[in-house]
Amino acid sequence: MDMEEFKKYAEKEGIKITDKTIADLELYLKELLEWNEKFNLTGITEPQDIWHKHFMDSLTVFKSIPEKAIKIIDIGTGAGLPGLVIQILNPRLHVTLMDATGKKVEFLKHMVKILELKNTIAIQNRAEILGHNPSYRESFDVALSRAVALLPTLLEYVLPFVKVGGIFIAQKKDGLEEIETSAEAIKTLGGNIKEKIKIDSEILLERQLILIEKIKGTPKEYPRAEGLAKKRPL
Ligand code: SAM
């Protein structure tokens, strides 16, 4: 069965999966495939690959979310990865799913409605703009982001959203080189590399998490105007 490896990984990691979690994820998968026929939401279209490369890969961040964390933001969430999976796993969290692409956010709003999620907000915006909005800036316990940009650029998108004392959990395929080129961005934006965690899985290869804690406020000039973090990374 497609979800067996997902369940096995969760069990090995001590993450509790209920029948409701599985039912919600099955509905998510079904809707994702249906919407994907009209809009390009994901390049992964085999149900088994969705269980592995999307759902299980999203699950890898779950244990790194501190127990006392409540407010989570997923930046460049696309079709809801990893943020929507994390919300389904723990409905107690307040998850903000943010992406620049309108169709993806439309899909997320649809999912929030049909999954009857009470604590989820889906918002269309760019990190460079929303990061200056006082209702969002430095107000999240945890930020997540997968497959959005190289680390020096990503840090400028993400760290402005994280509270001092909060963390950014970056999912990276091979992040070591990116860490080396990120020293300036980390220092400038108020971060500190706390930990690197290698994902232990025979299915998800070469995956790691980079945990960056926010140790001081981000200067107000960051993020810079749209496009600059990517064009001229710190
Ligand atoms: N996180 C999802 C995943 O892992 O499947 C989506 C990854 S997709 C390759 C990158 C996403 O980041 C796109 O949906 C894009 O719209 C979004 N994105 C890129 N730059 C962004 C920015 N500056 N602000 C907000 N979203 C951005």
Side-chain angles (χ1 to χ4, degrees):
M1 292 265 276
D2 294 326
M3 82 278 285
E4 286 313 316
E5 289 295 335
F6 174 91
K7 284 183 173 167
K8 239 189 332 196
Y9 180 81
E11 197 174 312
K12 176 167 77 72
E13 294 292 309
I15 302 168
K16 193 165 172 275
I17 302 289
T18 63
D19 290 348
K20 163 102 171 87
T21 313
I22 295 294
D24 283 354
L25 289 172
E26 281 181 320
L27 180 58
Y28 181 10
L29 187 150
K30 176 177 157 287
E31 295 293 316
L32 181 59
L33 291 181
E34 254 175 58
W35 279 59
N36 211 39
E37 286 176 13
K38 286 177 280 167
F39 312 120
N40 182 21
L41 298 176
T42 174
I44 294 174
T45 53
E46 285 301 318
Q48 174 163 306
D49 288 343
I50 292 183
W51 277 102
H52 295 171
K53 294 180 185 156
H54 280 339
F55 295 170
M56 198 165 133
D57 195 44
S58 296
L59 192 60
T60 63
V61 303
F62 193 71
K63 274 208 325 189
S64 296
I65 298 174
E67 218 157 282
K68 62 176 183 354
I70 294 173
K71 286 190 72 184
I72 316 266
I73 188 164
D74 181 6
I75 294 176
T77 187
L81 303 152
L84 184 54
V85 176
I86 297 303
Q87 180 71 91
I88 289 170
L89 281 161
N90 185 353
R92 184 190 63 85
L93 297 169
H94 288 233
V95 178
T96 299
L97 303 169
M98 189 268 260
D99 200 278
T101 309
K103 289 292 173 207
K104 293 181 179 174
V105 176
E106 202 183 307
F107 169 71
L108 294 172
K109 286 188 171 157
H110 168 71
M111 287 313 305
V112 167
K113 196 164 149 208
I114 65 169
L115 289 170
E116 298 177 6
L117 297 169
K118 303 277 180 278
N119 293 331
T120 319
I121 293 170
I123 179 166
Q124 183 193 357
N125 213 320
R126 288 195 64 88
E128 297 96 315
I129 295 169
L130 199 67
H132 286 287
N133 182 324
S135 305
Y136 292 86
R137 191 176 176 87
E138 302 203 319
S139 60
F140 292 89
D141 302 307
V142 177
L144 306 171
S145 191
R146 184 184 85 153
V148 171
L150 291 175
L151 201 52
T153 300
L154 193 60
L155 286 160
E156 188 168 344
Y157 290 163
V158 175
L159 279 180
F161 289 95
V162 181
K163 270 181 193 166
V164 173
I167 57 163
F168 168 30
I169 305 170
Q171 284 178 270
K172 282 284 162 195
K173 271 230 170 115
D174 182 18
L176 293 180
E177 202 178 304
E178 288 182 45
I179 291 178
E180 277 166 28
T181 57
S182 296
E184 188 61 30
I186 290 174
K187 197 167 132 235
T188 308
L189 300 162
N192 179 50
I193 300 234
K194 186 174 175 235
E195 206 180 340
K196 284 165 254 171
I197 300 171
K198 211 175 160 342
I199 300 305
D200 177 22
S201 161
E202 283 165 14
I203 291 178
L204 305 172
L205 303 173
E206 293 163 22
R207 305 286 214 279
Q208 55 183 323
L209 306 179
I210 304 168
L211 270 52
I212 298 135
E213 56 191 349
K214 180 94 172 246
I215 54 169
K216 58 182 168 62
T218 299
K220 65 176 184 324
E221 59 265 38
Y222 301 104
R224 290 167 290 166
E226 210 177 306
L228 282 183
K230 193 169 175 188
K231 215 184 304 161
R232 283 197 269 121
L234 287 169

